[in-house]
Amino acid sequence: MPTPVWRQYTVEFPTPSTAEEVATTVLAPAMDAAQDEGVLHGWWYVRKYPTWRWRYVADDPTSHLVEDVLETLAVDDRIVNWTRGVYEPETLAFGGTAGMRVAHELFHQDSRHQLLRPAAASAALGNRELAVLLCSVLTRSAGLDWYEQGDVWAKVVELRPIPATPAEEQAASLTRAMNRLMTADARSLTHPDSGGPLIGNGPWFDAFEAAGQALADLARHGRLRRGLRAVLAHHVIFHANRLGLSLRNQSTLAALAVRNVFHTTRSIVSTSESTSTTVSVDQVTPLRDPNDLRSELTDRLRAEDIIRTPRVEAAMRRTPRHLFLPGVPLEQAYADGPVYTKTDGCGTSISAASQPRIVAMMLEQLDAQPGHRVMEAGAGTGYNAALVAAIVGDTGHVVTIDIDDDLVAGAREHLAAAGVTNVEVVQKDGALGHRDCAPYDRIIATVGAWETPTAWLEQLAPDGRLVVPLRLRGAASRSIIFERHDGGWRDNGSELAVFMPLRGIGDDARRLVALTPEQDVTLQVHKDQDVEAAALAGVLDTEPYELWTDVLFPPMVPYEWMDLWLACRLDNAIMRLNAQPVAIERGTVAPMFPWGAMATTRGADLAYLTIRPAPPAADGGKLYEVGVIGHGPGGKDLAQHVSEEIRIWNADYRSRTVRFEIPDAPVAADPSIGRFILSRPHHPITVTWR
């Protein structure tokens, strides 16, 4: 057998949330499967934002399994790029060669349990609590007494400078919580019959216990080249990194642990406790501080240039999102993802707290100022209204509208809990606006609209601004800033955004059409599209026709303007073809993205977009070519038509900018110069490539 070889890959992700999703759903399962197949043994990772470094020992140095997985992720735009590197173990820091072997085994077990743990366990206990529980098992199993454990945390403090000290009352409360964690019987939390929050995670704790015992054994026999407590402190830091705890969180936890051991009275913890003494707990007191979580979320959005202005930043830092999501775990409340809060009778989501990056982006578009009067259509949880209220201040006023009485009641309760007093929550159809408080300096819709309601335009002040996520045609949707100009309304910028549709008189119904008996490939069809489910029955069973366009994209460049062109040009616009992983794996479809692709139909025919790697650019950068796959009796012709439109866009319109207008008087369409009219009952939309 070839000598095992360490390999390292540095993987750059577009966002932290993308990194978590790709690591847990693709990379960790692929590494685990490769280990089962004997391709590698032992793998782990560290975070170095915006990259993660993945390391593994290859049993077969010729295997390219991991590289193939990474290349697929790059093609799918789920990672920015990846590079091979040289792994240099911190051998001395972990106590020498023998200590490094123990470290590598723990790194592997910790990595796989962290990324492959059940979702229920992830939601049951926060990562801060997990870190303290696991590291306490590590230090206790190494034979350290209470004060020696405190010394390990003190060494962590030396490596992670202490942040600003919290108020005494808060510090005392957090220290009591820390005491329960440091003395908890972790086994009681993992046992299947205990009802504890970590059922099924016993092997994770076993790994930390085994590592502590192994390091203690090395120390007893003089085989560690560094002090045991110093080595353990290094393990604490590496573990916290893998869990994704920020430097501030690491420092705070360590400082609380030191306070708990050395600066508390016997009424909090007995200083005579032996190493083996633990306290059995049914529920661990949370250490998560919503202020820290909110700051971390805001910091990320600021670093990614989603938040650009001081007013939006201050509002995001000030407004407690968790109070608008009661019952939702804190870490989920402050994750950069939507939280679905209501479904209809069929189980379809009809209300949600939007993804924070979309919220921040639209607040930047809104550009509200202190003293402004603002109307919002789509109250939801009330969180967005609270953010706007923080921006306009006490001299401003916000009216937020929702059609559902339960959502209105909930928004009022949440706003009151957050101490927001300058928001009025009104129950009515959002498309009607609220004339009683008009005119408004700003109007924002946090629901998707197919047409801009007349009431919104009439209730806006002459120099006002409207921000609305408009579904333009088919699946093409953008959040557009409209301002008044001579002859109508003109955009002042737009961003790609998709929202749940407005309900009421402006209802924008949509439906799903299944393309497979298993219903794992579906089309999302809108009311302005002509799709007959019966005509498409079995369409994916027909022979596919694959056509490549010679149209190239570098990684991470969005396809939004190409999609918009297709939406304007194709008779049936574009729609989302949603494909579950199992359908892609069995070869039923080969879409552009892991979730699926944009598609169009014509009678019994289907065409959807795909992609493949292309020869590199002149500067060596990666490129990908867009393709079209057709199915059905006329699938070849439809695929050719779609590919020709892509080529036209690429040759004549790709370098142009797009303007959106709502004209007062009718305007004639002229596709030959890139001007399209999107029909609406009251306010048609002009889309012009300029």
Side-chain angles (χ1 to χ4, degrees), residues 340-656:
Y340 298 99
T341 55
K342 184 176 181 178
T343 59
D344 62 15
C346 299
T348 302
S349 295
I350 57 175
S351 187
S354 299
Q355 185 179 12
R357 68 179 49 244
I358 298 297
V359 171
M361 177 270 290
M362 292 184 68
L363 289 176
E364 293 288 1
Q365 288 185 307
L366 189 65
D367 191 32
Q369 303 294 318
H372 270 176
R373 300 174 68 82
V374 181
M375 188 198 85
E376 176 193 36
T381 65
Y383 173 63
N384 197 73
L387 290 167
V388 177
I391 293 172
V392 302
D394 294 338
T395 59
H397 186 70
V398 180
V399 174
T400 184
I401 304 170
D402 212 291
I403 197 169
D404 292 339
D405 56 356
D406 58 334
L407 293 178
V408 167
R412 288 172 178 161
E413 292 175 3
H414 304 156
L415 288 162
V420 180
T421 59
N422 56 338
V423 175
E424 178 183 354
V425 187
V426 178
Q427 183 185 352
K428 65 190 305 185
D429 191 322
L432 299 175
H434 189 59
R435 193 172 298 276
D436 292 354
C437 294
Y440 299 100
D441 301 291
R442 299 286 189 269
I443 293 178
I444 183 171
T446 52
V447 288
W450 183 62
E451 179 171 23
T452 305
T454 300
W456 297 357
L457 300 177
E458 292 178 345
Q459 293 172 25
L460 197 61
D463 58 348
R465 170 176 285 198
L466 167 66
V467 176
V468 54
L470 270 181
R471 188 179 66 78
L472 298 163
R473 192 162 185 260
S477 178
R478 299 190 70 80
S479 177
I480 304 176
I481 304 168
F482 280 114
E483 294 177 339
R484 184 70 188 174
H485 290 266
D486 292 340
W489 300 83
R490 183 184 303 165
D491 84 274
N492 190 21
S494 70
E495 299 285 350
L496 186 67
V498 178
F499 273 75
M500 291 181 182
L502 188 70
R503 291 178 290 126
I505 60 174
D507 183 61
D508 186 20
R510 56 189 179 185
R511 59 192 172 96
L512 289 179
V513 173
L515 298 182
T516 59
E518 299 85 357
Q519 299 189 355
D520 50 14
V521 181
T522 59
L523 289 174
Q524 187 180 79
V525 182
H526 297 270
K527 66 181 183 182
D528 56 345
Q529 294 177 302
D530 181 18
V531 175
E532 292 187 19
L536 290 172
V539 67
L540 291 176
D541 295 329
T542 64
E543 190 70 21
Y545 175 78
E546 188 176 284
L547 185 64
W548 296 97
T549 63
D550 296 322
V551 175
L552 306 177
F553 282 82
M556 307 310 297
V557 172
Y559 302 84
E560 55 189 305
W561 300 113
M562 181 185 75
D563 289 345
L564 180 61
W565 177 264
L566 294 176
C568 291
R569 289 289 291 169
L570 299 176
D571 290 342
N572 214 14
I574 57 172
M575 58 199 79
R576 285 176 63 100
L577 180 145
N578 301 303
Q580 295 181 16
V582 64
I584 298 174
E585 290 169 4
R586 70 169 180 260
T588 303
V589 287
M592 178 178 279
F593 303 111
W595 57 262
M598 289 299 176
T600 192
T601 63
R602 185 175 60 196
D605 304 321
L606 168 75
Y608 65 88
L609 303 185
T610 188
I611 198 170
R612 68 180 179 184
D619 62 359
K622 294 181 181 180
L623 291 172
Y624 301 97
E625 182 183 4
V626 176
V628 186
I629 296 177
H631 286 271
K636 177 179 179 179
D637 290 340
L638 182 57
Q640 289 175 337
H641 177 51
V642 174
S643 63
E644 181 59 25
E645 288 297 342
I646 292 173
R647 293 190 187 99
I648 291 172
W649 168 79
N650 185 64
D652 300 332
Y653 297 95
R654 185 170 185 168
S655 61
R656 301 190 191 187

Side-chain angles (χ1 to χ4, degrees), residues 158-206:
E158 292 175 2
L159 297 169
R160 296 289 185 259
I162 301 175
T165 304
E168 179 59 30
E169 182 178 348
Q170 182 186 24
S173 173
L174 291 174
T175 302
R176 286 191 291 271
M178 175 63 76
N179 180 62
R180 298 192 74 193
L181 290 166
M182 291 179 68
T183 59
D185 178 5
R187 289 289 173 223
S188 71
L189 304 175
T190 63
H191 194 276
D193 299 329
S194 69
L198 290 172
I199 291 175
N201 283 277
W204 198 355
F205 286 83
D206 290 342

